[in-house]
């Protein structure tokens, strides 16, 4: 039995999937299987992966398009290995990613979640490493408080996370009803129960220039994480309440920029007005109440500077 199962959901990524799979097959740690969950692509994605000759690859085809969460769940349920590593079909691992995760597993056997840092890749191969709230942490460590550490840029992305299969048996699978931000919902449930072993090594290239990812975030007709469902947990864990309100803040701004003021108001209502409880800093509270045109102007300015290699953020404290 393989040590890792690599789950790759695939839907219309013919321009990227070959490079993604190549990055997996080139790993320095070779004890793994690759499960590609083909979610009814309408391009040549299936043809391209079928042409790759490797006995490590299995392809599972959905009979109908089910979405990202369902594709991940199909991979989890069919995984032969105890440890499941996720990789989207347009992202890339550095050659020593799995070897590093293996080292974390051996070094921190009490943990069930394992992750590395990552880089964001923009047009013209511009690479930016997110600035996080992690301070005074060693290179390899157990994260003391996941929620407190993620009140700015996330310390890992969906493709730099590896999960012990027993986690899903305890907290359940990805919520297939959620069509935007399903990782936030899973992160809440998983990190509320299990410990995370982490390395600051940048071992994943998270592509942010495909399908207008950096210019458009459309929430219309999307189902988001039900943050209200986790409010009771936030009473006992203040950092979780801050994490909930931080994500509400982000989604509320998106709603306002799209002109969906009812959804904006509903999302804003869940944010505690006391900044000590919500965790929102002064700049964030100002932006939360800023007019739509101001938010859209700031978005354009931020994008301009990001593409120049300078990331402007309100997340600093």
């Amino acid at each position: 039995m393989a040590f890792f199962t690599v789950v790759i959901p695939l839907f219309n990524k013919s321009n990227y999937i070959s490079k993604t799979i190549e990055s997996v097959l080139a790993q320095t740690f070779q004890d793994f299987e690759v499960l590609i969950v083909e979610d009814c692509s309408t391009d040549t994605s299936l043809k391209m992966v079928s042409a790759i000759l490797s006995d490590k690859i299995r392809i599972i085809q959905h009979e109908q398009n089910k979405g990202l969460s369902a594709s991940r769940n199909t991979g989890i349920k069919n995984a032969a290995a105890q440890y499941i590593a996720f990789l989207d079909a347009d992202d890339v691992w550095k050659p020593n990613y799995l070897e590093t995760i293996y080292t974390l597993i051996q070094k921190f056997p009490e943990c069930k979640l394992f992750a590395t840092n990552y880089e964001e890749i923009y047009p013209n191969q511009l690479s930016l490493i997110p600035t996080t709230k992690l301070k005074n942490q060693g290179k390899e460590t157990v994260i003391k408080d996941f929620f407190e550490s993620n009140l700015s840029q996330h310390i890992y992305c969906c493709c730099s996370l590896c999960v012990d299969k027993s986690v899903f048996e305890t907290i359940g699978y990805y919520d297939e009803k959620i069509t935007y931000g399903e990782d936030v919902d899973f992160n809440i449930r998983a990190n509320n129960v299990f410990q995370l072993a982490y390395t600051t090594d940048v071992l994943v290239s998270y592509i942010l220039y495909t399908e207008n990812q950096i210019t458009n975030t459309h929430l219309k007709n999307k189902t988001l994480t039900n943050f209200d469902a986790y409010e009771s947990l936030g009473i006992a864990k203040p950092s979780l309440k801050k994490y909930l309100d931080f994500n509400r803040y982000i989604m509320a701004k998106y709603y306002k920029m799209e002109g969906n003021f009812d959804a904006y108001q509903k999302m804003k209502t869940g944010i505690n007005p006391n900044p000590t409880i919500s965790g929102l800093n002064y700049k964030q509270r100002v932006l939360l109440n800023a007019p739509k045109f101001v938010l859209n102007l700031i978005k354009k300015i931020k994008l301009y500077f990001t593409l120049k290699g300078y990331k402007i953020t309100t997340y600093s404290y």
Side-chain angles (χ1 to χ4, degrees):
M1 184 176 70
F3 191 86
F4 292 106
T5 293
V6 181
V7 173
I8 304 178
L10 177 61
F11 178 72
N12 287 356
K13 287 295 192 297
S14 60
N15 292 333
Y16 307 96
I17 185 60
S18 293
K19 189 173 181 180
T20 296
I21 295 176
E22 287 173 6
S23 78
V24 178
L25 297 179
Q27 290 294 299
T28 55
F29 186 94
Q30 282 284 306
D31 190 6
F32 63 83
E33 64 166 353
V34 181
L35 257 183
I36 298 174
V37 183
E38 216 297 309
D39 198 28
C40 301
S41 296
T42 57
D43 63 4
T44 60
S45 294
L46 177 59
K47 180 179 180 181
M48 296 185 72
V49 297
S50 299
I52 298 175
L53 301 178
S54 173
D55 57 7
K56 291 182 177 294
I57 296 176
R58 284 196 287 151
I59 301 174
I60 298 176
Q61 292 180 253
H62 280 167
E63 295 183 357
Q64 62 184 27
N65 180 264
K66 296 182 178 181
L68 178 58
S69 290
S71 295
R72 286 179 179 164
N73 289 342
T74 295
I76 295 164
K77 293 171 184 177
N78 286 274
Q82 179 180 352
Y83 297 99
I84 302 174
F86 297 97
L87 183 60
D88 285 353
D90 51 5
D91 296 321
V92 173
W93 283 342
K94 305 295 185 183
N96 59 330
Y97 171 75
L98 285 181
E99 182 178 359
T100 301
I101 294 293
Y102 177 81
T103 299
L104 288 176
I105 292 170
Q106 303 306 310
K107 188 172 182 179
F108 304 105
E110 72 276 18
C111 294
K112 299 294 183 182
L113 306 171
F114 309 89
T116 78
N117 200 359
Y118 60 100
E119 62 180 349
E120 298 174 342
I121 305 296
Y122 294 91
N124 300 318
Q125 294 302 301
L126 171 66
S127 170
L128 295 177
I129 299 174
T131 301
T132 70
K133 285 194 67 180
L134 286 179
K135 299 182 185 301
N136 302 319
Q137 299 275 0
K139 177 182 176 181
E140 296 176 349
T141 187
V142 175
I143 299 300
K144 295 179 180 178
D145 189 329
F146 168 85
F147 303 110
E148 186 69 33
S149 300
N150 282 269
L151 296 178
S152 58
Q153 291 285 326
H154 290 294
I155 63 174
Y156 64 73
C157 66
C158 56
C159 300
S160 66
L161 175 67
C162 177
V163 182
D164 188 309
K165 200 171 185 178
S166 63
V167 170
F168 302 102
E169 297 167 359
T170 301
I171 67 166
Y173 297 89
Y174 284 89
D175 189 335
E176 297 181 14
K177 299 187 298 295
I178 298 175
T179 55
Y180 184 87
E182 59 284 321
D183 294 302
V184 173
D185 177 79
F186 178 77
N187 287 340
I188 293 171
R189 290 185 284 124
N191 288 280
N192 187 54
V193 178
F194 298 100
Q195 289 185 292
L196 168 69
Y198 182 79
T199 176
T200 56
D201 285 346
V202 177
L203 299 178
V204 177
S205 297
Y206 185 45
I207 311 300
L208 286 175
Y209 60 78
T210 63
E211 302 172 5
N212 298 317
Q213 286 172 308
I214 62 172
T215 56
N216 295 306
T217 300
H218 297 295
L219 300 184
K220 185 177 181 180
N221 299 323
K222 297 288 180 65
T223 300
L224 277 59
T225 297
N226 180 8
F227 301 116
D228 295 345
Y230 299 111
E231 276 292 304
S232 59
L233 297 177
I235 295 174
K237 186 174 292 186
S239 61
L240 172 53
K241 170 58 178 172
K242 291 179 180 179
Y243 183 77
L244 295 173
D245 282 0
F246 174 71
N247 281 280
R248 285 187 175 111
Y249 156 75
I250 295 173
M251 295 299 107
K253 287 197 306 174
Y254 284 152
Y255 276 132
K256 182 180 279 190
M257 286 188 284
E258 292 180 6
N260 189 340
F261 294 101
D262 288 340
Y264 157 78
Q265 191 59 49
K266 182 178 180 181
M267 193 65 69
K268 178 185 173 183
T269 299
I271 300 175
N272 194 294
N274 184 341
T276 303
I277 297 175
S278 71
L280 296 188
N281 61 34
Y282 175 75
K283 290 180 288 185
Q284 291 166 339
R285 298 197 302 275
V286 169
L287 287 177
L288 182 63
N289 294 287
K292 173 184 174 182
F293 80 91
V294 172
L295 293 177
N296 282 310
L297 176 60
I298 291 174
K299 179 181 178 181
K300 292 179 181 179
I301 293 173
K302 288 176 64 176
L303 177 59
Y304 172 81
F305 280 104
T306 296
L307 296 179
K308 296 293 183 181
Y310 304 98
K311 200 160 186 180
I312 302 173
T313 177
T314 64
Y315 300 159
S316 58
Y317 283 75

